[in-house]
Amino acid sequence: MMIGGLYFGTGGHFWYLFLDKKFPGTKPNIILKKLGCEAMFGPPYVSLCCLIVKLCEGKSFQTSIKELKSNFNYILAVSVIYLNLKLSLIA
């Protein structure tokens, strides 16, 4: 639990600081750019977290990658749903 908090907390913090510096402002086009970056960043970020968890469970790297590949469609689907929800809130 602590590893997950450190991973998501610090990674997310610095990711959003980067986005705010790269795309300053709150105009709709800026928000769409930030959401687009978030949509591209999310699946690899979550996938790495899943890989770390599987390795901490004692699974081999090859087994972890195999399980990650089988679950990647779900990770991608959640990211798309999240993006759609965010877009509906700003529309």
Side-chain angles (χ1 to χ4, degrees), residues 26-61:
T26 57
K27 293 181 182 176
N29 64 334
I30 298 294
I31 293 172
L32 288 175
K33 288 179 184 179
K34 288 179 182 180
L35 286 174
C37 290
E38 187 176 330
M40 290 186 294
F41 177 72
Y45 190 65
V46 172
S47 297
L48 181 60
C49 181
C50 291
L51 181 64
I52 291 169
V53 167
K54 290 182 185 313
L55 292 173
C56 288
E57 289 175 348
K59 296 181 180 178
S60 71
F61 184 76

Side-chain angles (χ1 to χ4, degrees), residues 16-84:
Y16 289 113
L17 281 179
F18 167 76
L19 283 181
D20 286 340
K21 287 180 184 176
K22 185 76 174 165
F23 305 109
T26 57
K27 293 181 182 176
N29 64 334
I30 298 294
I31 293 172
L32 288 175
K33 288 179 184 179
K34 288 179 182 180
L35 286 174
C37 290
E38 187 176 330
M40 290 186 294
F41 177 72
Y45 190 65
V46 172
S47 297
L48 181 60
C49 181
C50 291
L51 181 64
I52 291 169
V53 167
K54 290 182 185 313
L55 292 173
C56 288
E57 289 175 348
K59 296 181 180 178
S60 71
F61 184 76
Q62 290 79 18
T63 303
S64 299
I65 292 294
K66 184 179 176 183
E67 289 183 17
L68 183 59
K69 285 181 180 179
S70 69
N71 292 325
F72 188 74
N73 289 336
Y74 299 114
I75 293 170
L76 197 56
V78 168
S79 180
V80 168
I81 291 168
Y82 177 74
L83 181 61
N84 286 333

